[in-house]
Amino acid sequence: MDKEKLAYLKGQAKEIRKLTIEEIGTFGSGHIGGAMSIADVLALLYFHRMKVDPAQPRLKDRDQLVVSKGHAGPVVYATLALKGFFPKDWLKTLNQGGTRLPSHCDRNQTPGIDMTAGSLGQGFSAALGIALGLRIDKSPSRVYTIIGDGESDEGQIWEGALFGAAQHISNITAFTDYNKQQLDGFTKDIVDLGDLTAKWASFGWFTQEVDGHDIAALDEAIEKSLAQKDKPSMIIMNTIKGKGCNFAEGIEKNHSMAFDLVKAKEAIAALDAKE
C-alpha cells in the first residue's frame, strides 16, 4: 500500500470515529468501546478492499460484511454514511423512534447492512452460511465478518469454526476484535481465551495476528487471506477498546457509556488535535 492510500484510509478511520462519537452523543448513550476499536478495519474494508456500491446496496456480486458483534452498529452506520449508503443526517436518529438505525445492525432497516446481528455468535454462523451459498453459486464475492473476543465465549463461535474448516470455506475472511474487554470486565478474568491465534489454527483456519489499528498490516493480512484456496481465514486484531475517544479509551467500564453531545464535541476536538 502506498503512502497516499494509507494516509487517505487513516483519514477515513478518523472521520468514522468522529461520526460515531457524535452519533452516540446525540442519542445520549451507546456501545462506544467496541465500536471505536473496529474503525480502522471498517475504513480499510469499505474504502479499499470491498466491492460495494452505495447506489445498489443489494448488488448481486458485492462483497458482504457481517458484523457479528452487532452492538457495534453505530460505527458501522458511521462508515456506511461516510461511504454514501444513506445521508449523514440519519446518524442523528440513532436508536430513536422511527429510526432506520437501531442499536444493533438490522438488514431490514438499514441500507448496506448485509446481516442482522445482536444475539452473539449467530452472525458468525450466518456469515459462514452466506459464504458457502456464494461458493455454491460460483460467485466471485467474498464475505468478511467481525466477531468480538467476549463473543468468543459463545459455543456457537466454535461450532462455526469447526464447520468452516470442515467445509473448506475459503471465501471468508474473519476478524476477531481482540480488545481484551467485554461487558463485565476483562476477558482474561471472565473466560480466559488463552492463545487465540494457536486456538484458531488448531481448528483448521489460516490464522494471522496483527495490530488492529495498523491499517497497512491489516491490508497485508487480508491480501494473504485472499490467497487461501482451501482454508477459511481468521485475522486476530489486537485492538484497544474505545480507541480514539479520550474519555473511553483505556478504562474498564467502557462497553456502553452515557454521555451528551457536549462531551462528544470535546472528544472530537481532542481526536482532531492528534496527528
Side-chain angles (χ1 to χ4, degrees):
M1 179 181 294
D2 62 42
K3 291 182 179 179
E4 185 176 350
K5 173 62 77 171
L6 181 57
Y8 167 71
L9 292 173
K10 286 181 177 180
Q12 295 300 87
K14 178 182 276 192
E15 189 63 25
I16 289 168
R17 286 191 165 95
K18 289 162 58 179
L19 289 171
T20 303
I21 295 169
E22 183 175 19
E23 176 188 9
I24 296 175
T26 299
F27 178 65
S29 66
H31 294 93
I32 187 71
M36 299 296 280
S37 56
I38 62 171
D40 300 291
V41 71
L42 289 176
L44 175 60
L45 290 174
Y46 278 98
F47 292 92
H48 181 55
R49 278 290 174 182
M50 289 175 61
K51 177 187 176 183
V52 293
D53 182 356
Q56 302 178 77
R58 294 281 185 254
L59 182 70
K60 184 176 185 296
D61 288 330
R62 73 190 184 281
D63 292 328
Q64 298 190 45
L65 173 67
V66 178
V67 180
S68 189
K69 41 174 281 178
H71 54 277
V75 73
V76 182
Y77 303 150
T79 305
L80 293 173
L82 189 61
K83 185 69 176 177
F85 279 87
F86 50 81
K88 290 181 183 176
D89 280 352
W90 285 23
L91 298 176
K92 298 176 183 178
T93 73
L94 175 71
N95 212 24
Q96 297 178 31
T99 188
R100 296 188 67 182
L101 307 181
S103 177
H104 292 60
C105 297
D106 186 334
R107 74 185 301 273
N108 294 315
Q109 293 291 331
T110 312
I113 296 296
D114 291 309
M115 187 63 206
T116 301
S119 295
L120 295 177
Q122 292 184 6
F124 184 60
S125 293
L128 286 160
I130 293 168
L132 181 58
L134 290 172
R135 188 179 74 186
I136 291 169
D137 288 344
K138 295 182 170 51
S139 169
S141 302
R142 190 166 192 87
V143 175
Y144 296 90
T145 185
I146 303 172
I147 66 173
D149 50 0
E151 182 179 15
S152 299
D153 294 350
E154 298 284 354
Q156 189 162 349
I157 293 293
W158 302 104
E159 292 177 40
L162 287 170
F163 178 80
Q167 297 297 321
H168 306 281
I169 304 177
S170 61
N171 59 334
I172 190 168
T173 298
F175 304 88
T176 296
D177 180 24
Y178 195 21
N179 58 41
K180 323 298 188 298
Q181 294 177 248
Q182 58 193 94
L183 189 153
D184 292 328
F186 294 97
T187 54
K188 65 180 176 60
D189 299 325
I190 298 171
V191 177
D192 194 342
L193 296 168
D195 187 338
L196 264 184
T197 303
K199 190 174 265 102
W200 278 95
S202 74
F203 272 77
W205 287 55
F206 173 65
T207 310
Q208 304 171 79
E209 183 172 352
V210 301
D211 179 344
H213 303 306
D214 184 333
I215 291 176
L218 278 168
D219 190 53
E220 183 178 348
I222 291 173
E223 187 67 27
K224 290 178 180 177
S225 78
L226 297 177
Q228 294 303 306
K229 304 304 179 186
D230 188 57
K231 292 182 176 183
S233 290
M234 170 57 74
I235 299 171
I236 308 296
M237 303 189 302
N238 285 299
T239 59
I240 299 170
K241 197 161 187 172
K243 176 71 173 178
C245 182
N246 63 351
F247 60 81
E249 182 177 338
I251 70 168
E252 183 174 353
K253 299 297 183 181
N254 62 2
H255 185 76
S256 182
M257 301 178 73
F259 58 94
D260 60 17
L261 197 51
V262 172
K263 193 168 186 177
K265 295 291 187 182
E266 291 173 351
I268 291 169
L271 184 55
D272 269 334
K274 294 182 178 180
E275 293 185 3

